[in-house]
Amino acid sequence: MRLKTAAVLLYTVAATDNSQFCADGAVTSVMEWAAAPSDSLFASAYATSSSNSFTPLCCNALAEADLAVLYPGEATYKARVKLHWSRAAQLTPSCFVEPHSAVEVARAVTALVNTNKTHQCHFAVRSGGHTTWAGAANIEDGVTIDLSMMNSTTYYAKNNTAAVLPGARWKSVYSYLDAYGVAVAGGRASTVGVAGLVLGGGNSFYAGQKGMVCDNVVQFEVVTGNGEIIYANNETNSDLFQALKGGSNNFGIVTRLDLATFEDGKLWGGVVTYPNSTTPHQLQALVNFNDRIEKDPYGSVIGIWQYSTLTNATIIINAYEYTKPVKKPAAFDEFYAILGNTSDSMRITNMTDITIELEQAAGYRDTFITLTFENDVRVLQKAIDLHNILVSKLSSVSGDWTMQNMFQPIPAVFAKHSVENGGNVLGLDRYKKNLFLFQIYLAWNGAKQDDFLQRTGDWLISELDTYAQSIGKANPYIYLDYAYKTQKPLESYGKENVKKIRAAAKKYDPEGVFQTMVPGGFKISKVRDK
Protein backbone atom coordinates (compact mmCIF):
# COMPACT_ATOMS: atom_id res chain seq x y z
CA MET A 1 0.00 0.00 0.00
CA ARG A 2 2.81 2.34 -0.90
CA LEU A 3 1.54 5.71 -2.00
CA LYS A 4 3.09 7.95 -4.57
CA THR A 5 3.24 10.88 -2.16
CA ALA A 6 5.53 11.71 0.75
CA ALA A 7 5.87 8.03 1.72
CA VAL A 8 2.39 8.30 3.22
CA LEU A 9 0.01 5.37 3.07
CA LEU A 10 -3.27 6.87 1.96
CA TYR A 11 -6.52 5.37 0.87
CA THR A 12 -7.89 6.55 -2.44
CA VAL A 13 -10.53 8.99 -1.31
CA ALA A 14 -12.51 8.78 -4.46
CA ALA A 15 -15.41 6.49 -4.74
CA THR A 16 -15.38 2.99 -5.93
CA ASP A 17 -16.48 1.83 -9.31
CA ASN A 18 -19.65 0.32 -7.93
CA SER A 19 -22.47 0.89 -10.29
CA GLN A 20 -22.12 -1.15 -13.46
CA PHE A 21 -21.66 -4.49 -11.84
CA CYS A 22 -22.79 -8.03 -11.20
CA ALA A 23 -22.55 -9.90 -7.92
CA ASP A 24 -23.85 -12.93 -6.07
CA GLY A 25 -27.52 -13.75 -5.93
CA ALA A 26 -30.37 -13.48 -8.41
CA VAL A 27 -34.05 -12.73 -8.61
CA THR A 28 -35.58 -16.01 -7.53
CA SER A 29 -38.66 -15.68 -9.66
CA VAL A 30 -39.21 -13.88 -12.91
CA MET A 31 -42.78 -13.28 -11.77
CA GLU A 32 -41.42 -11.27 -8.85
CA TRP A 33 -39.89 -8.84 -11.28
CA ALA A 34 -42.39 -8.09 -14.00
CA ALA A 35 -45.07 -10.79 -14.05
CA ALA A 36 -43.66 -11.90 -17.40
CA PRO A 37 -45.65 -14.41 -19.54
CA SER A 38 -44.60 -18.03 -19.46
CA ASP A 39 -43.09 -17.87 -22.95
CA SER A 40 -41.00 -14.81 -22.14
CA LEU A 41 -37.27 -14.54 -22.46
CA PHE A 42 -36.53 -15.33 -18.83
CA ALA A 43 -39.13 -18.02 -18.36
CA SER A 44 -37.57 -20.00 -21.18
CA ALA A 45 -34.07 -19.33 -19.86
CA TYR A 46 -34.88 -20.70 -16.42
CA ALA A 47 -36.81 -23.62 -17.86
CA THR A 48 -33.97 -24.81 -20.10
CA SER A 49 -31.38 -25.20 -17.37
CA SER A 50 -31.72 -26.80 -13.97
CA SER A 51 -28.20 -25.75 -13.01
CA ASN A 52 -26.17 -22.57 -13.07
CA SER A 53 -23.42 -24.07 -15.24
CA PHE A 54 -22.26 -21.77 -18.02
CA THR A 55 -22.24 -22.90 -21.62
CA PRO A 56 -19.63 -21.69 -24.13
CA LEU A 57 -22.47 -20.87 -26.49
CA CYS A 58 -22.74 -17.44 -24.88
CA CYS A 59 -19.12 -16.61 -25.68
CA ASN A 60 -19.51 -18.13 -29.13
CA ALA A 61 -22.51 -15.91 -29.79
CA LEU A 62 -20.41 -12.85 -29.03
CA ALA A 63 -17.66 -14.00 -31.40
CA GLU A 64 -20.26 -14.65 -34.09
CA ALA A 65 -21.48 -11.09 -33.60
CA ASP A 66 -18.00 -9.99 -34.74
CA LEU A 67 -16.96 -8.77 -31.29
CA ALA A 68 -13.54 -9.02 -29.63
CA VAL A 69 -13.71 -11.96 -27.21
CA LEU A 70 -10.94 -12.97 -24.80
CA TYR A 71 -10.72 -16.54 -23.48
CA PRO A 72 -8.89 -18.14 -20.53
CA GLY A 73 -5.32 -18.97 -21.36
CA GLU A 74 -4.76 -15.87 -23.46
CA ALA A 75 -2.26 -13.35 -22.11
CA THR A 76 -4.69 -10.48 -22.63
CA TYR A 77 -7.37 -12.36 -20.69
CA LYS A 78 -5.05 -12.65 -17.69
CA ALA A 79 -4.29 -8.94 -17.87
CA ARG A 80 -8.01 -8.13 -17.90
CA VAL A 81 -8.59 -10.21 -14.76
CA LYS A 82 -5.91 -8.17 -12.99
CA LEU A 83 -7.52 -4.84 -13.95
CA HIS A 84 -9.61 -5.00 -10.80
CA TRP A 85 -8.01 -2.73 -8.22
CA SER A 86 -8.51 -5.12 -5.29
CA ARG A 87 -7.22 -8.66 -5.53
CA ALA A 88 -10.26 -9.75 -3.54
CA ALA A 89 -12.44 -8.65 -6.46
CA GLN A 90 -10.60 -10.56 -9.19
CA LEU A 91 -12.69 -13.34 -10.77
CA THR A 92 -12.24 -15.43 -13.91
CA PRO A 93 -15.22 -15.17 -16.28
CA SER A 94 -15.77 -17.70 -19.03
CA CYS A 95 -14.77 -14.93 -21.40
CA PHE A 96 -14.38 -11.18 -21.68
CA VAL A 97 -15.93 -9.20 -24.49
CA GLU A 98 -14.37 -5.83 -25.32
CA PRO A 99 -16.70 -3.50 -27.22
CA HIS A 100 -15.26 -0.32 -28.72
CA SER A 101 -18.49 1.63 -29.18
CA ALA A 102 -22.11 1.86 -28.07
CA VAL A 103 -23.08 -0.03 -31.23
CA GLU A 104 -20.84 -2.91 -30.22
CA VAL A 105 -22.22 -2.86 -26.66
CA ALA A 106 -25.69 -3.13 -28.18
CA ARG A 107 -24.58 -6.07 -30.31
CA ALA A 108 -23.14 -7.78 -27.25
CA VAL A 109 -26.32 -7.35 -25.21
CA THR A 110 -28.47 -8.54 -28.12
CA ALA A 111 -26.32 -11.62 -28.68
CA LEU A 112 -26.44 -12.58 -25.00
CA VAL A 113 -30.18 -11.97 -24.67
CA ASN A 114 -30.95 -14.03 -27.77
CA THR A 115 -28.73 -16.91 -26.65
CA ASN A 116 -30.28 -16.76 -23.19
CA LYS A 117 -33.58 -17.93 -24.70
CA THR A 118 -32.16 -21.45 -24.93
CA HIS A 119 -28.96 -21.41 -22.85
CA GLN A 120 -28.55 -19.40 -19.68
CA CYS A 121 -26.22 -16.42 -20.20
CA HIS A 122 -25.28 -14.35 -17.18
CA PHE A 123 -23.05 -11.35 -17.58
CA ALA A 124 -21.39 -8.51 -15.69
CA VAL A 125 -20.31 -5.03 -16.78
CA ARG A 126 -17.03 -3.38 -15.80
CA SER A 127 -15.96 0.20 -16.38
CA GLY A 128 -13.12 0.84 -13.90
CA GLY A 129 -13.29 -2.16 -11.57
CA HIS A 130 -12.57 -0.25 -8.36
CA THR A 131 -15.17 -1.94 -6.17
CA THR A 132 -13.52 -4.13 -3.57
CA TRP A 133 -15.85 -7.13 -3.44
CA ALA A 134 -15.87 -10.07 -5.82
CA GLY A 135 -18.71 -10.01 -8.33
CA ALA A 136 -19.20 -6.28 -8.20
CA ALA A 137 -18.01 -5.74 -11.78
CA ASN A 138 -17.21 -9.28 -12.93
CA ILE A 139 -18.49 -12.83 -12.77
CA GLU A 140 -17.60 -16.51 -12.65
CA ASP A 141 -19.39 -18.81 -15.12
CA GLY A 142 -20.49 -15.94 -17.29
CA VAL A 143 -19.39 -13.09 -19.53
CA THR A 144 -17.78 -9.86 -18.38
CA ILE A 145 -18.45 -6.94 -20.71
CA ASP A 146 -15.24 -4.96 -20.27
CA LEU A 147 -15.67 -1.30 -21.23
CA SER A 148 -11.99 -0.41 -20.84
CA MET A 149 -11.56 0.05 -24.61
CA MET A 150 -14.20 2.81 -24.49
CA ASN A 151 -12.08 5.35 -22.65
CA SER A 152 -11.91 8.61 -24.62
CA THR A 153 -12.83 12.15 -23.59
CA THR A 154 -13.93 14.83 -26.10
CA TYR A 155 -14.39 18.49 -25.21
CA TYR A 156 -17.12 20.59 -26.85
CA ALA A 157 -16.49 24.28 -26.22
CA LYS A 158 -19.73 25.35 -27.93
CA ASN A 159 -21.93 23.85 -25.23
CA ASN A 160 -19.38 23.52 -22.40
CA THR A 161 -19.53 19.73 -22.12
CA ALA A 162 -17.09 16.85 -22.18
CA ALA A 163 -18.27 13.57 -23.70
CA VAL A 164 -16.63 10.87 -21.59
CA LEU A 165 -16.85 7.18 -22.38
CA PRO A 166 -17.53 4.81 -19.46
CA GLY A 167 -14.18 3.00 -19.41
CA ALA A 168 -12.21 6.21 -18.88
CA ARG A 169 -10.35 6.74 -15.61
CA TRP A 170 -10.45 10.15 -13.98
CA LYS A 171 -6.74 10.78 -14.55
CA SER A 172 -7.20 10.57 -18.31
CA VAL A 173 -10.25 12.85 -18.16
CA TYR A 174 -8.46 15.55 -16.17
CA SER A 175 -5.21 15.40 -18.14
CA TYR A 176 -7.13 15.78 -21.41
CA LEU A 177 -9.19 18.72 -20.14
CA ASP A 178 -6.16 20.45 -18.59
CA ALA A 179 -5.00 21.27 -22.10
CA TYR A 180 -8.21 23.26 -22.70
CA GLY A 181 -8.15 25.06 -19.36
CA VAL A 182 -11.40 23.47 -18.22
CA ALA A 183 -12.43 20.89 -15.65
CA VAL A 184 -15.35 18.74 -14.52
CA ALA A 185 -16.59 17.75 -11.08
CA GLY A 186 -15.32 14.20 -10.80
CA GLY A 187 -13.39 11.61 -8.86
CA ARG A 188 -10.51 12.25 -6.48
CA ALA A 189 -8.23 9.32 -7.28
CA SER A 190 -6.72 8.77 -10.69
CA THR A 191 -7.60 5.13 -11.47
CA VAL A 192 -11.26 5.16 -10.44
CA GLY A 193 -13.61 4.55 -13.38
CA VAL A 194 -15.94 7.28 -14.55
CA ALA A 195 -19.21 5.39 -15.02
CA GLY A 196 -19.21 3.56 -11.71
CA LEU A 197 -18.50 6.65 -9.65
CA VAL A 198 -21.26 8.64 -11.36
CA LEU A 199 -23.96 5.98 -11.18
CA GLY A 200 -23.39 5.61 -7.44
CA GLY A 201 -23.64 9.35 -6.83
CA GLY A 202 -20.02 10.41 -6.53
CA ASN A 203 -18.37 12.93 -4.22
CA SER A 204 -15.86 15.52 -5.43
CA PHE A 205 -13.83 18.53 -4.35
CA TYR A 206 -16.42 20.70 -6.12
CA ALA A 207 -19.49 19.36 -4.29
CA GLY A 208 -19.88 22.51 -2.18
CA GLN A 209 -20.39 24.49 -5.39
CA LYS A 210 -21.91 21.94 -7.77
CA GLY A 211 -23.45 19.06 -5.84
CA MET A 212 -22.58 15.40 -6.27
CA VAL A 213 -20.70 14.19 -9.35
CA CYS A 214 -23.88 12.70 -10.83
CA ASP A 215 -25.53 16.13 -10.66
CA ASN A 216 -23.03 17.38 -13.22
CA VAL A 217 -24.11 14.98 -15.96
CA VAL A 218 -25.93 16.76 -18.79
CA GLN A 219 -26.85 13.62 -20.70
CA PHE A 220 -26.42 9.84 -20.58
CA GLU A 221 -26.20 7.49 -23.55
CA VAL A 222 -27.57 4.08 -22.56
CA VAL A 223 -27.86 0.64 -24.17
CA THR A 224 -31.04 -1.02 -22.93
CA GLY A 225 -31.82 -4.70 -22.53
CA ASN A 226 -33.37 -4.91 -26.01
CA GLY A 227 -30.19 -3.57 -27.62
CA GLU A 228 -31.55 -0.08 -28.28
CA ILE A 229 -29.33 2.99 -27.84
CA ILE A 230 -31.23 5.80 -26.10
CA TYR A 231 -30.45 9.14 -24.51
CA ALA A 232 -31.52 10.54 -21.15
CA ASN A 233 -31.40 14.18 -20.14
CA ASN A 234 -33.63 16.77 -18.44
CA GLU A 235 -36.04 16.80 -21.38
CA THR A 236 -35.77 13.38 -23.01
CA ASN A 237 -36.37 10.28 -20.88
CA SER A 238 -36.10 12.56 -17.86
CA ASP A 239 -37.30 9.85 -15.47
CA LEU A 240 -34.39 7.64 -16.51
CA PHE A 241 -32.03 10.61 -16.34
CA GLN A 242 -32.86 11.17 -12.68
CA ALA A 243 -32.86 7.47 -11.80
CA LEU A 244 -29.40 6.93 -13.27
CA LYS A 245 -28.02 9.49 -10.81
CA GLY A 246 -27.55 7.03 -7.95
CA GLY A 247 -29.65 4.14 -9.28
CA SER A 248 -26.70 1.96 -10.29
CA ASN A 249 -26.92 -0.74 -12.99
CA ASN A 250 -30.66 -1.35 -12.88
CA PHE A 251 -31.58 0.08 -16.29
CA GLY A 252 -28.97 -0.64 -18.95
CA ILE A 253 -25.32 -0.04 -19.79
CA VAL A 254 -24.18 3.57 -19.85
CA THR A 255 -21.98 4.07 -22.91
CA ARG A 256 -21.36 7.83 -22.73
CA LEU A 257 -21.63 10.55 -20.13
CA ASP A 258 -21.79 14.20 -21.16
CA LEU A 259 -20.39 16.19 -18.23
CA ALA A 260 -20.72 19.92 -17.65
CA THR A 261 -17.38 21.70 -17.87
CA PHE A 262 -16.26 24.96 -16.31
CA GLU A 263 -13.25 27.21 -16.52
CA ASP A 264 -10.50 25.81 -14.41
CA GLY A 265 -7.60 27.74 -13.06
CA LYS A 266 -5.57 25.99 -10.42
CA LEU A 267 -6.43 24.67 -6.99
CA TRP A 268 -4.57 24.64 -3.70
CA GLY A 269 -4.29 21.14 -2.31
CA GLY A 270 -2.30 18.25 -0.96
CA VAL A 271 -1.84 16.14 2.15
CA VAL A 272 -0.75 17.09 5.68
CA THR A 273 -0.01 14.42 8.27
CA TYR A 274 -0.12 14.69 12.07
CA PRO A 275 0.56 12.51 15.11
CA ASN A 276 -2.40 10.74 16.71
CA SER A 277 -2.01 12.92 19.80
CA THR A 278 -3.69 15.79 17.93
CA THR A 279 -6.97 13.82 17.58
CA PRO A 280 -9.19 15.98 19.87
CA HIS A 281 -8.28 19.16 17.98
CA GLN A 282 -8.66 17.45 14.60
CA LEU A 283 -12.15 16.15 15.35
CA GLN A 284 -13.43 19.51 16.53
CA ALA A 285 -11.90 21.23 13.51
CA LEU A 286 -13.68 18.75 11.20
CA VAL A 287 -17.03 19.40 12.87
CA ASN A 288 -16.60 23.17 12.67
CA PHE A 289 -15.42 22.99 9.05
CA ASN A 290 -18.52 20.99 8.08
CA ASP A 291 -20.76 23.73 9.46
CA ARG A 292 -18.93 26.44 7.52
CA ILE A 293 -18.84 24.89 4.02
CA GLU A 294 -21.97 26.70 2.86
CA LYS A 295 -20.26 30.03 3.61
CA ASP A 296 -17.10 29.04 1.72
CA PRO A 297 -18.01 26.23 -0.70
CA TYR A 298 -14.54 26.04 -2.28
CA GLY A 299 -12.99 24.09 0.59
CA SER A 300 -12.83 20.33 1.11
CA VAL A 301 -11.31 18.24 3.91
CA ILE A 302 -10.98 14.49 4.22
CA GLY A 303 -9.73 13.27 7.60
CA ILE A 304 -8.16 9.81 7.80
CA TRP A 305 -6.95 7.94 10.88
CA GLN A 306 -4.62 5.22 9.65
CA TYR A 307 -2.87 2.34 11.35
CA SER A 308 -0.34 0.37 9.32
CA THR A 309 1.94 -2.50 10.27
CA LEU A 310 4.68 -0.71 8.32
CA THR A 311 4.74 2.08 10.90
CA ASN A 312 3.13 0.25 13.85
CA ALA A 313 1.34 3.47 14.73
CA THR A 314 -1.81 5.46 14.02
CA ILE A 315 -1.25 8.67 12.11
CA ILE A 316 -3.69 11.33 10.94
CA ILE A 317 -3.78 12.13 7.23
CA ASN A 318 -5.71 15.23 6.17
CA ALA A 319 -6.36 15.94 2.50
CA TYR A 320 -7.08 19.66 2.09
CA GLU A 321 -8.32 21.05 -1.21
CA TYR A 322 -9.44 24.56 -2.11
CA THR A 323 -10.74 24.92 -5.66
CA LYS A 324 -9.22 28.35 -6.16
CA PRO A 325 -5.48 29.11 -6.47
CA VAL A 326 -5.35 30.67 -3.00
CA LYS A 327 -2.61 29.66 -0.58
CA LYS A 328 -3.73 28.90 2.96
CA PRO A 329 -7.28 30.24 2.65
CA ALA A 330 -9.09 31.19 5.84
CA ALA A 331 -11.40 28.17 5.52
CA PHE A 332 -8.60 26.02 6.97
CA ASP A 333 -7.43 28.35 9.75
CA GLU A 334 -8.48 25.98 12.53
CA PHE A 335 -6.46 23.16 10.98
CA TYR A 336 -3.41 25.40 10.50
CA ALA A 337 -3.51 26.17 14.21
CA ILE A 338 -2.89 22.50 15.06
CA LEU A 339 0.83 22.22 15.69
CA GLY A 340 3.18 19.30 15.17
CA ASN A 341 2.44 18.17 11.60
CA THR A 342 4.91 15.59 10.31
CA SER A 343 4.61 16.24 6.55
CA ASP A 344 3.05 18.82 4.22
CA SER A 345 2.63 18.58 0.44
CA MET A 346 0.30 21.58 -0.01
CA ARG A 347 0.80 23.50 -3.25
CA ILE A 348 -0.96 25.23 -6.13
CA THR A 349 -1.61 22.51 -8.74
CA ASN A 350 -4.29 20.91 -10.93
CA MET A 351 -6.72 18.00 -10.63
CA THR A 352 -4.50 15.61 -12.57
CA ASP A 353 -1.67 16.07 -10.10
CA ILE A 354 -3.93 15.88 -7.03
CA THR A 355 -5.62 12.66 -8.12
CA ILE A 356 -2.25 11.02 -8.68
CA GLU A 357 -1.20 11.98 -5.16
CA LEU A 358 -4.39 10.61 -3.66
CA GLU A 359 -4.11 7.31 -5.51
CA GLN A 360 -3.41 4.14 -3.59
CA ALA A 361 -1.27 1.36 -4.99
CA ALA A 362 -3.06 -1.77 -6.11
CA GLY A 363 -2.07 -5.31 -5.18
CA TYR A 364 -3.87 -5.86 -1.86
CA ARG A 365 -7.10 -7.48 -0.77
CA ASP A 366 -9.43 -4.72 0.35
CA THR A 367 -12.82 -3.93 1.80
CA PHE A 368 -14.88 -0.75 2.15
CA ILE A 369 -17.84 -0.43 4.54
CA THR A 370 -19.70 2.82 5.07
CA LEU A 371 -22.03 4.73 7.37
CA THR A 372 -23.57 8.20 7.60
CA PHE A 373 -24.35 10.20 10.73
CA GLU A 374 -25.07 13.75 11.80
CA ASN A 375 -22.30 16.26 12.41
CA ASP A 376 -21.52 15.66 16.08
CA VAL A 377 -18.05 15.41 17.60
CA ARG A 378 -19.18 12.64 19.96
CA VAL A 379 -19.80 10.27 17.06
CA LEU A 380 -16.45 11.09 15.50
CA GLN A 381 -14.72 10.43 18.82
CA LYS A 382 -16.56 7.12 19.16
CA ALA A 383 -15.29 6.10 15.73
CA ILE A 384 -11.71 6.78 16.84
CA ASP A 385 -12.26 4.88 20.10
CA LEU A 386 -13.41 1.89 18.03
CA HIS A 387 -10.41 2.33 15.74
CA ASN A 388 -8.11 2.09 18.76
CA ILE A 389 -9.88 -1.05 19.97
CA LEU A 390 -9.38 -2.68 16.58
CA VAL A 391 -5.70 -1.79 16.47
CA SER A 392 -5.30 -3.94 19.58
CA LYS A 393 -7.69 -6.63 18.35
CA LEU A 394 -5.89 -7.00 15.01
CA SER A 395 -2.43 -7.30 16.54
CA SER A 396 -2.55 -11.03 15.84
CA VAL A 397 -3.02 -10.51 12.09
CA SER A 398 0.26 -11.37 10.40
CA GLY A 399 1.86 -9.67 7.45
CA ASP A 400 1.39 -6.25 5.87
CA TRP A 401 -2.03 -4.73 6.57
CA THR A 402 -3.59 -1.30 6.95
CA MET A 403 -6.76 0.07 8.53
CA GLN A 404 -8.14 3.52 7.81
CA ASN A 405 -11.15 5.27 9.28
CA MET A 406 -12.18 8.22 7.16
CA PHE A 407 -14.50 11.21 7.64
CA GLN A 408 -15.94 13.33 4.82
CA PRO A 409 -18.29 16.28 5.44
CA ILE A 410 -21.64 16.05 3.61
CA PRO A 411 -23.30 19.38 4.43
CA ALA A 412 -26.89 20.08 3.42
CA VAL A 413 -25.73 22.48 0.70
CA PHE A 414 -24.59 19.52 -1.44
CA ALA A 415 -28.21 18.40 -1.85
CA LYS A 416 -29.38 21.96 -2.57
CA HIS A 417 -27.19 21.98 -5.66
CA SER A 418 -28.52 18.55 -6.63
CA VAL A 419 -32.09 19.83 -6.65
CA GLU A 420 -31.04 22.87 -8.70
CA ASN A 421 -29.55 20.56 -11.33
CA GLY A 422 -32.70 18.47 -11.79
CA GLY A 423 -32.42 16.13 -8.84
CA ASN A 424 -31.11 12.63 -8.25
CA VAL A 425 -32.38 9.59 -6.35
CA LEU A 426 -29.89 9.65 -3.47
CA GLY A 427 -32.42 11.18 -1.08
CA LEU A 428 -29.97 13.52 0.63
CA ASP A 429 -32.35 16.44 0.05
CA ARG A 430 -34.54 14.95 2.81
CA TYR A 431 -32.04 16.10 5.44
CA LYS A 432 -31.55 19.67 6.59
CA LYS A 433 -28.71 18.91 9.00
CA ASN A 434 -25.07 18.60 8.02
CA LEU A 435 -23.82 15.02 7.86
CA PHE A 436 -20.60 13.05 7.88
CA LEU A 437 -19.87 10.24 5.45
CA PHE A 438 -17.75 7.62 7.25
CA GLN A 439 -15.79 4.72 5.85
CA ILE A 440 -13.69 1.96 7.33
CA TYR A 441 -11.15 0.62 4.89
CA LEU A 442 -9.04 -2.50 5.46
CA ALA A 443 -6.28 -3.82 3.20
CA TRP A 444 -4.28 -7.00 3.67
CA ASN A 445 -2.51 -9.91 1.99
CA GLY A 446 -3.80 -13.47 1.94
CA ALA A 447 -7.30 -14.80 1.26
CA LYS A 448 -7.24 -16.78 4.52
CA GLN A 449 -7.83 -13.54 6.42
CA ASP A 450 -10.77 -12.33 4.29
CA ASP A 451 -13.60 -13.44 6.54
CA PHE A 452 -11.98 -12.34 9.78
CA LEU A 453 -11.14 -8.86 8.55
CA GLN A 454 -14.55 -8.40 6.94
CA ARG A 455 -16.26 -9.33 10.21
CA THR A 456 -13.96 -6.91 12.00
CA GLY A 457 -15.01 -4.03 9.76
CA ASP A 458 -18.67 -4.99 10.04
CA TRP A 459 -18.36 -4.94 13.83
CA LEU A 460 -16.99 -1.41 13.90
CA ILE A 461 -19.76 -0.12 11.61
CA SER A 462 -22.43 -1.82 13.72
CA GLU A 463 -21.03 -0.47 16.99
CA LEU A 464 -20.72 3.05 15.60
CA ASP A 465 -24.24 3.04 14.17
CA THR A 466 -25.63 1.76 17.47
CA TYR A 467 -23.89 4.57 19.32
CA ALA A 468 -25.10 7.23 16.86
CA GLN A 469 -28.65 5.96 17.27
CA SER A 470 -28.35 6.01 21.06
CA ILE A 471 -27.66 9.75 21.07
CA GLY A 472 -30.08 10.60 18.25
CA LYS A 473 -27.41 11.32 15.63
CA ALA A 474 -27.82 8.38 13.25
CA ASN A 475 -28.71 8.80 9.57
CA PRO A 476 -29.91 5.99 7.27
CA TYR A 477 -28.11 7.05 4.08
CA ILE A 478 -25.68 4.48 2.67
CA TYR A 479 -23.30 5.80 0.01
CA LEU A 480 -23.43 3.21 -2.77
CA ASP A 481 -19.91 3.83 -4.04
CA TYR A 482 -18.45 2.79 -0.66
CA ALA A 483 -21.03 0.15 0.25
CA TYR A 484 -20.14 -3.48 0.90
CA LYS A 485 -22.34 -6.09 -0.77
CA THR A 486 -24.30 -6.82 2.42
CA GLN A 487 -25.35 -3.18 2.83
CA LYS A 488 -28.53 -1.70 1.36
CA PRO A 489 -27.89 1.64 -0.32
CA LEU A 490 -31.00 1.68 -2.52
CA GLU A 491 -33.29 1.23 0.48
CA SER A 492 -31.51 4.11 2.20
CA TYR A 493 -32.65 6.54 -0.51
CA GLY A 494 -36.19 6.60 0.86
CA LYS A 495 -39.55 5.27 -0.31
CA GLU A 496 -40.18 7.86 -3.03
CA ASN A 497 -36.80 7.37 -4.66
CA VAL A 498 -37.15 3.58 -4.52
CA LYS A 499 -40.43 4.03 -6.44
CA LYS A 500 -38.67 6.15 -9.05
CA ILE A 501 -35.89 3.58 -9.53
CA ARG A 502 -38.36 0.71 -9.71
CA ALA A 503 -40.58 2.51 -12.23
CA ALA A 504 -37.65 3.44 -14.46
CA ALA A 505 -36.24 -0.09 -14.37
CA LYS A 506 -39.56 -1.62 -15.40
CA LYS A 507 -40.13 1.01 -18.10
CA TYR A 508 -36.70 0.87 -19.73
CA ASP A 509 -35.90 -2.80 -19.01
CA PRO A 510 -39.34 -4.46 -19.12
CA GLU A 511 -37.92 -7.95 -19.60
CA GLY A 512 -35.70 -7.57 -16.55
CA VAL A 513 -32.42 -8.22 -18.35
CA PHE A 514 -30.49 -6.21 -15.76
CA GLN A 515 -32.32 -7.90 -12.88
CA THR A 516 -31.84 -11.52 -13.94
CA MET A 517 -29.14 -11.89 -16.58
CA VAL A 518 -26.95 -9.51 -14.57
CA PRO A 519 -27.84 -11.36 -11.39
CA GLY A 520 -26.27 -9.40 -8.57
CA GLY A 521 -25.25 -6.10 -7.15
CA PHE A 522 -27.64 -3.60 -5.62
CA LYS A 523 -30.77 -4.64 -7.52
CA ILE A 524 -34.04 -2.81 -7.27
CA SER A 525 -35.85 -6.14 -7.67
CA LYS A 526 -34.42 -7.20 -4.30
CA VAL A 527 -35.74 -4.14 -2.50
CA ARG A 528 -38.96 -4.99 -0.69
CA ASP A 529 -41.55 -2.33 0.00
CA LYS A 530 -41.93 -1.76 3.72
Side-chain angles (χ1 to χ4, degrees), residues 391-399 401 449 452:
V391 168
S392 175
K393 182 178 180 181
L394 296 176
S395 60
S396 61
V397 176
S398 61
W401 61 268
Q449 299 184 115
F452 171 68

Side-chain angles (χ1 to χ4, degrees), residues 74 394 430 468 522 526:
E74 298 179 13
L394 296 176
R430 294 173 291 166
F522 301 117
K526 295 182 179 180

Side-chain angles (χ1 to χ4, degrees), residues 68 78 120 139 158 295 378 438 494 503 508:
K78 295 178 182 178
Q120 187 180 61
I139 194 169
K158 289 184 178 180
K295 294 180 180 179
R378 293 173 294 173
F438 175 80
Y508 294 96

Side-chain angles (χ1 to χ4, degrees), residues 427-448:
L428 287 170
D429 55 310
R430 294 173 291 166
Y431 308 115
K432 306 307 177 186
K433 295 183 178 180
N434 296 331
L435 306 173
F436 263 105
L437 174 63
F438 175 80
Q439 182 200 70
I440 180 172
Y441 162 64
L442 291 158
W444 64 94
N445 286 309
K448 291 181 179 180

Side-chain angles (χ1 to χ4, degrees), residues 31-267:
M31 300 300 289
E32 289 180 7
W33 166 242
S38 60
D39 61 346
S40 72
L41 159 68
F42 299 109
S44 62
Y46 279 88
T48 55
S49 177
S50 59
S51 72
N52 289 325
S53 61
F54 178 79
T55 167
L57 289 177
C58 304
C59 293
N60 294 344
L62 294 167
E64 291 171 1
D66 198 26
L67 296 167
V69 181
L70 305 177
Y71 296 94
E74 298 179 13
T76 307
Y77 173 96
K78 295 178 182 178
R80 294 298 178 267
V81 169
K82 294 180 180 179
L83 275 180
H84 291 276
W85 175 70
S86 173
R87 287 187 175 179
Q90 295 175 4
L91 297 178
T92 53
S94 298
C95 63
F96 287 99
V97 60
E98 294 189 323
H100 289 68
S101 66
V103 171
E104 291 194 355
V105 172
R107 287 217 309 267
V109 171
T110 299
L112 292 170
V113 168
N114 287 339
T115 307
N116 191 67
K117 294 175 181 178
T118 55
H119 297 82
Q120 187 180 61
C121 290
H122 283 174
F123 67 96
V125 184
R126 179 177 71 190
S127 54
H130 207 272
T131 307
T132 60
W133 43 277
N138 54 6
I139 194 169
E140 294 278 356
D141 295 327
V143 174
T144 293
I145 299 177
D146 178 13
L147 301 176
S148 62
M149 297 295 103
M150 298 171 62
N151 57 30
S152 67
T153 300
T154 305
Y155 173 55
Y156 295 97
K158 289 184 178 180
N159 63 1
N160 297 315
T161 63
V164 184
L165 299 194
R169 310 295 180 97
W170 287 106
K171 177 185 174 182
S172 70
V173 176
Y174 295 136
S175 61
Y176 171 87
L177 294 177
D178 282 344
Y180 294 93
V182 298
V184 294
R188 297 165 295 176
S190 62
T191 65
V192 170
V194 169
L197 176 76
V198 171
L199 298 183
N203 198 358
S204 85
F205 298 135
Y206 294 93
Q209 307 162 64
K210 300 179 181 297
M212 304 297 278
V213 177
C214 65
D215 299 315
N216 292 270
V217 178
V218 177
Q219 177 172 264
F220 293 98
E221 179 184 75
V222 184
V223 172
T224 63
N226 63 4
E228 184 181 0
I229 300 173
I230 65 173
Y231 296 88
N233 53 52
N234 264 328
E235 297 181 355
T236 302
N237 301 319
S238 58
D239 52 348
L240 176 61
F241 181 59
Q242 188 178 57
L244 283 164
K245 294 187 282 185
S248 192
N249 71 333
N250 283 287
F251 320 102
I253 299 176
V254 171
T255 50
R256 196 183 82 210
L257 306 93
D258 296 341
L259 305 178
T261 63
F262 47 87
E263 290 188 8
D264 175 52
K266 298 288 185 178
L267 72 157

